[in-house]
Amino acid sequence: MTARAALLALLILAAAPVRADPLVLSLAADRVEVSTSFHGGRVVAFGVAPPGGGVLALELIGPRQDIVVREKGRVLGIWANTGSAPGVGLPAVAPPGDGPYRAALIAHKQKQALWPDAPTALDDLGGGAWRVDFALPPDVPIGTYTVRAALHGPGGRTLEEERATLRVDHVGLGAAIVRFAGDYAWAYGLLCVMMAALAGWFMSAVSLRRY
Amino acid sequence: MPVHLPIAEMSVWAEQMLLLGAVVGFLSGVFGVGGGFLTTPFLIFLGLSPAVAVGTQACQLVASSVTGSLGHLRRGGVDVRMGTVMLAGGLAGSVVGIGIFRALQHFGQIDLVLGLLYVAFLGGVGGLMLAESVVSAARRGRSKVRAAFNAHKPGPLAARLPWRMAFPRSRLYISALVPGGIGFVGGLMVSIMGIGGGFLLVPAMIYILGMPILLVAGTSLFQIVFTGAVAVVLHAVASGTVDIVLATLLIAGGLVGTRAGVWAARFITGAAARVTLALIILAVAVAMGRDLFIGPADPFSVVVR
């Protein structure tokens, strides 16, 4: 189990002598738009590794979340939640302890196609240029993401590091609904009721015409 | 077609939700049941959080009870005065129910309590329906039960308690506390389970209040419209768990399904249909009960706060 609290992680090996040229990191887009038809997306990062040695590692780090992991146990013959472990500010902080809760959390995230175990290789475009595609699953959390590129020297020492941030945001109708429901919850509730009542009335009017 | 639900923050298949709405609508059209008892468990089976399932289902409940109560109003099958007294209790029940729901969420026991309530109610109602269908099929032709329903008189409790009120439409002079109390229980069910609870309100109104059977269904639907509406607004304000996109899909499917169900009701009648409904209800109860009694596939669950 990797202890890295990274949402997605990628690694590449590049072998050349170490030089003091800067590491370049850039994103194809600084925004991933989650519309109502969103069914997974991509984050494309590219850049240039300085001619030199070292291991270039790229990480996509998701927004932090407060979560609770709960465990069911048997109580009077019924399966109920009997234990829980909180995790604050994930994924930056791993859940406390090394016990079953931590393993369950990682398994849960991996089922959602988040927190992969093994890194994938990135595209070497030649001349030190590279490109990487991170796949985002359909149920991706909304928020600010960070892409971190780090050049590691011998012994795991970080030689250079670059960061770029991007937003995963609702757009269009979805964004309008989320904003309205957040800012004017009462009005949003009433809107839902009115929509439902109108549909109910329409149904009643339609059946009346026929019978 | 995948649809990303903005409030639930997850991706679902639109066809799946339309179909769920249509199946539930079909059952409403054929049997006159609200169908919330099917939607909420199915949404939870499909991976939605219980909070979004209940909050959104309450929205669909408003649509189906508006259709139902308008039909009964046209035929004069609503005791508005009785419905309003029940509604007063129902509103109090909705508010208390939201509080209980939030507390259960906080302690992480909402899925347990929902599971137990569904197993108890659905198992009880499905079992009774099945038994009743078998018994009435055995002695075909005799309708003593109907006769007993029509010879209405107020139950002993309703006649004795204080704050008596006249309900001319139902030809009753009973304590307002009893219909208010029944409404309160209905309000609790709407906010906690997302269902109208007609299967519990209707017998209570017949046996405890002694209302004429012709007024019972319409009056119960009339008060469910308003308790449901209050539950939707409270869920939207207190927990932000009403997804209007999901509600629209369920209601749109429901419109088509109800229409088909009303049409099909002419061909589907009698004991066989009632046995079918009873078996569907029992199947949902068993599915909900499996996780509770045999044990869940995964004992761990992760909740984002």
Side-chain angles (χ1 to χ4, degrees), chain A residues 36 72 74 79 81 139 188 204, chain B residues 4 74 108 242 292-293 299:
Chain A
T36 45
K72 278 191 162 60
R74 238 188 154 116
W79 287 85
N81 283 322
D139 300 341
Y188 172 75
S204 158
Chain B
H4 194 271
R74 260 187 237 114
V242 183
L292 285 178
F293 298 107

Side-chain angles (χ1 to χ4, degrees), chain A residues 34-36 39 66-72 74 78-79 81 104 108 138-139 186 188 196 199-200 203-204 206 210, chain B residues 2-4 10-11 59 63 67 74 108-109 111 233 242 244 251 255 259 292-293 295 299-303 305:
Chain A
V34 177
S35 65
T36 45
H39 195 64
D66 292 353
I67 59 99
V68 185
V69 183
R70 295 203 173 98
E71 183 186 12
K72 278 191 162 60
R74 238 188 154 116
I78 291 167
W79 287 85
N81 283 322
H108 174 84
D139 300 341
W186 288 96
Y188 172 75
M203 185 61 228
S204 158
V206 168
R210 178 77 178 268
Chain B
V3 170
H4 194 271
M10 69 177 283
S11 194
C59 202
T67 308
R74 260 187 237 114
Q109 300 299 359
D111 46 352
V233 174
V242 183
I244 197 168
I251 291 171
L255 289 181
R259 194 80 188 83
L292 285 178
F293 298 107
F300 290 98
S301 59
V302 176
V303 182
R305 286 220 253 232

Side-chain angles (χ1 to χ4, degrees), chain A residues 21-27 45-50 56-59 61 130 146-151 158-165:
Chain A
D21 278 351
L23 171 66
V24 179
L25 166 67
S26 183
L27 299 178
F46 54 90
V48 182
L56 180 62
L58 273 127
E59 284 177 294
I61 304 160
W130 50 266
T146 305
V147 176
R148 177 175 173 267
L151 194 65
T158 306
L159 302 174
E160 276 186 73
E161 188 187 297
E162 276 295 316
R163 281 166 187 268
T165 58

